[in-house]
Amino acid sequence: MSHDEAAPGHFRQHINDARSSFKSTGSSRSIGSFRSQGSSELWSAEEGVRRERGLSLLEELKQQMMAEQSPTNSFRLSRSNSNRHMAGSLQRGPSLYDELKQMFEGSEGGGHGEEGARSPPAMRGSMRSLEATIQESSALEEGEGDAEEEGRRRAAVFSGSELSSLLQTGETRTKSSQAREKLQTVISTRAPLTPPSRAGGAGLVVWACTWNVANAPPPHSIAGLLRAENERRGAWDEDMPVPDIYVLGLQETDTSVASALMLETQRGAQWVSVIEGSLKELHGTTVQYVRVANKQMGGVFVAVFATAATAGTLSEIATATLPLGVMGVMGNKGAIGVRFKARGSSLCCVSAHLAAGETAASFDRRVQDLREVHERLVFTECLPALPAPGRRTVEYFRFSPPLRISRHDRVVLLGDLNFRVPLPSKTARDLVANARWRDLWNNEELYHVMAQGECALRGMDEGQLCFPPTYKYDPGSDTYDSSYKARAPSWTDRVLWRGNSMALLHYYPAPVRLSDHRPLIAVLW
């Protein structure tokens, strides 16, 4: 039986539409020639077709999964129910080809293949068929080369939006003296740590942490994470201010299919409960913290807490989400924003999880994801102030026009941005072992993007990366990836910021070994 025959009828139309669109628009172009045309209208049309198809498929998958649930469950997933419908981590690879392959076979780490085999039959059939479509279409392209790599390249054209020719691998890592000078400027201007006694103190003290938890359930307490910077810099004293704001951005909190389809799961509420309990454990009754906002979108999660004194001064509190996952519409990748006004200025905190992978195509996808977050994450309505405890009804006010990230006085961007150090694994590990950070910086992808003047990062600052890369560890250990893939250590987890008079008090990973990532903490003042 062919893949198309194996798929249910309501998926077959999507498959045929995908094949027709792909053959007519993507299969006759190489990725280089497509970029060189410089036609933003053509790219916009392609992006519109991709998103429309993705939204349609998303609704079909939601309906299919909802139909397979017991009405009494109302899709409130228990852990066992979630596992039954797990189809891998749905990690978004560098192209639609990789996305569909990972959705069916399992996550990038290769640990969910058996779970992928337990995905709903309709989903398995449609994923096989769509994957076969991509492979068949890419085979029509004349030329030599590895079939799988060609499939990825064609699919990247099919599923991508505007990718600047400036960011092609050869140009991004050019050896010209001008490019080297720009890169060295980026490296030399990274923000140093500022002693608290010289930081001023006029603004908010913001504790910001990003952590990819790799689908691990929340631990009983994260008080050790919340006080990690204290242990590194010394106990709290009169020189080290207590944070006014805690911002915790998590990725891969839930990698189930239900989460990727942005249906209700309990993982976000579980993390909120753990954070609240840990803040009480750490600060006791000395400082009381109030939840300002929390939001979950697929595996991406963010929570913001403020001291009671600070919370009472906050206004125009809003959240926004932007899914960037499979086919550009699912929640396994994307960004969540929380914004508010405090002490006369606006602060926007964005937690993001960008495209994974080590290929040139995946690098392009990460850069494009950054642009989309910068341009498309908008806030449309807000709470004028935090509602009083126990109040059941609240009134929202609309922003006109909607607020973009760039319209805020201060911005904190944190997340698993997935930028890599594209060196041979052994070379990178030797450099890490000898703390030769500058040699790693010279090859670090995000530094190269900054050096090229990427608009989404203009004005953004970051602390010096004078610590071991935060990815990829064997969970529960300090050993870098010992699997057959042996990925090169990379600073995939980052905290960047923009704003006048902001000083960096702390920038270092916490020694928490729950997942294959280390949490990264920045304390800003």
Side-chain angles (χ1 to χ4, degrees):
M1 181 182 296
S2 69
H3 288 311
D4 283 2
E5 291 170 344
H10 62 286
F11 280 109
R12 205 168 293 141
Q13 184 61 44
H14 289 296
I15 297 167
N16 292 334
D17 290 347
R19 177 182 287 113
S20 299
S21 176
F22 188 86
K23 288 181 178 179
S24 63
T25 61
S27 62
S28 61
R29 299 182 180 93
S30 70
I31 197 166
S33 63
F34 206 103
R35 288 172 175 149
S36 64
Q37 291 183 24
S39 173
S40 59
E41 293 82 1
L42 183 58
W43 275 110
S44 299
E46 286 293 319
E47 179 69 3
V49 170
R50 181 177 74 92
R51 288 205 180 108
E52 182 177 356
R53 184 182 301 108
L55 287 170
S56 179
L57 177 58
L58 177 62
E59 290 304 315
E60 290 285 352
L61 292 174
K62 280 186 179 181
Q63 293 296 327
Q64 177 65 31
M65 291 197 65
M66 292 293 287
E68 294 191 9
Q69 301 303 309
S70 167
T72 60
N73 287 338
S74 301
F75 217 85
R76 299 174 66 87
L77 295 180
S78 65
R79 185 173 299 175
S80 60
N81 197 15
S82 175
N83 288 338
R84 273 203 307 275
H85 292 277
M86 178 93 68
S89 67
L90 287 176
Q91 290 210 7
R92 178 170 179 249
S95 64
L96 180 59
Y97 179 91
D98 287 329
E99 292 165 7
L100 298 175
K101 184 175 182 180
Q102 289 165 5
M103 175 183 265
F104 176 67
E105 293 181 354
S107 69
E108 182 184 9
H112 301 292
E114 183 178 350
E115 292 169 337
R118 295 197 296 268
S119 58
M123 183 178 295
R124 293 204 303 272
S126 62
M127 291 305 104
R128 288 195 189 99
S129 301
L130 283 169
E131 183 179 2
T133 298
I134 300 301
Q135 291 174 321
E136 177 184 327
S137 299
S138 62
L140 297 176
E141 180 75 13
E142 294 183 0
E144 299 178 354
D146 180 77
E148 183 172 346
E149 183 63 26
E150 285 298 306
R152 288 188 175 125
R153 292 175 66 246
R154 298 291 82 72
V157 172
F158 171 67
S159 65
S161 50
E162 184 176 4
L163 301 175
S164 170
S165 61
L166 181 65
L167 293 168
Q168 293 184 48
T169 305
E171 296 182 11
T172 306
R173 301 168 189 169
T174 178
K175 300 299 183 181
S176 69
S177 59
Q178 183 179 11
R180 286 199 302 270
E181 289 174 3
K182 290 180 179 179
L183 177 61
Q184 294 309 311
T185 298
V186 169
I187 291 174
S188 63
T189 56
R190 297 306 85 198
L193 297 182
T194 302
S197 59
R198 300 211 310 266
L204 294 170
V205 178
V206 179
W207 180 99
C209 175
T210 177
W211 186 16
N212 185 319
V213 298
N215 201 38
H220 176 71
S221 171
I222 59 168
L225 171 64
L226 299 178
R227 62 170 167 259
E229 80 280 2
N230 313 342
E231 295 171 352
R232 179 168 177 79
R233 295 178 61 88
W236 285 113
D237 56 29
E238 58 185 15
D239 289 331
M240 175 59 77
V242 174
D244 298 297
I245 302 284
Y246 276 97
V247 181
L248 180 60
L250 304 177
Q251 303 84 42
E252 294 188 16
T253 57
D254 188 341
T255 57
S256 66
V257 173
S259 175
L261 296 179
M262 293 179 286
L263 297 169
E264 181 183 2
T265 71
Q266 299 301 311
R267 192 56 65 83
Q270 293 169 358
W271 275 104
V272 169
S273 178
V274 168
I275 298 168
E276 289 177 336
S278 301
L279 285 170
K280 292 179 181 177
E281 178 184 345
L282 178 61
H283 295 284
T285 58
T286 305
V287 183
Q288 181 183 0
Y289 283 88
V290 177
R291 176 161 49 94
V292 176
N294 65 276
K295 192 76 173 178
Q296 180 182 7
M297 179 196 66
V300 186
F301 170 85
V302 66
V304 177
F305 287 78
T307 62
T310 301
T313 67
L314 303 184
S315 63
E316 298 182 14
I317 304 154
T319 62
T321 61
L322 179 66
L324 293 170
V326 177
M327 300 190 81
V329 296
M330 294 192 185
N332 56 302
K333 294 290 190 294
I336 303 176
V338 177
R339 62 91 56 199
F340 48 82
K341 278 190 173 181
R343 301 183 185 177
S345 64
S346 57
L347 173 64
C348 177
C349 302
V350 180
S351 174
H353 193 188
L354 308 185
E358 299 179 335
T359 65
S362 60
F363 168 75
D364 285 345
R365 290 300 309 175
R366 282 190 283 279
V367 175
Q368 182 60 30
D369 283 352
L370 272 178
R371 293 175 181 169
E372 296 204 27
V373 171
H374 178 71
E375 296 172 1
R376 295 178 50 217
L377 184 68
V378 295
F379 300 90
T380 58
E381 60 182 14
C382 71
L383 283 170
L386 284 178
R391 184 176 178 181
R392 295 185 177 180
T393 59
V394 294
E395 184 178 4
Y396 286 85
F397 293 87
R398 297 192 66 82
F399 291 117
S400 182
L403 291 180
R404 296 171 58 178
I405 295 174
S406 58
R407 292 183 60 187
H408 292 83
D409 300 318
R410 299 183 178 185
V411 176
V412 177
L413 170 63
L414 66 158
D416 181 0
L417 305 186
N418 257 316
F419 287 100
R420 311 301 176 96
V421 178
L423 291 173
S425 182
K426 186 179 184 307
T427 302
R429 293 175 192 231
D430 289 343
L431 294 174
V432 171
N434 292 285
R436 293 173 59 182
W437 309 131
R438 181 167 290 274
D439 291 330
L440 291 167
W441 297 342
N442 287 332
N443 293 277
E444 207 280 320
E445 286 183 341
L446 186 57
Y447 281 175
H448 281 272
V449 176
M450 289 178 169
Q452 293 295 333
E454 171 56 45
C455 61
L457 297 175
R458 286 176 186 167
M460 300 295 283
D461 207 348
E462 184 187 18
Q464 295 175 351
L465 300 175
C466 296
F467 49 81
T470 56
Y471 175 84
K472 173 181 175 41
Y473 290 90
D474 291 339
S477 77
D478 292 322
T479 303
Y480 283 111
D481 187 12
S482 63
S483 73
Y484 73 95
K485 292 186 177 181
R487 296 172 183 83
S490 297
W491 289 287
T492 59
D493 310 279
R494 312 291 277 271
V495 181
L496 292 79
W497 76 90
R498 171 179 60 77
N500 294 330
S501 304
M502 293 184 75
L504 180 67
L505 305 184
H506 174 87
Y507 196 44
Y508 209 82
V512 180
R513 300 169 179 84
L514 183 69
S515 73
D516 54 355
H517 291 251
R518 292 289 184 268
L520 182 62
I521 300 170
V523 180
L524 301 164
W525 196 357

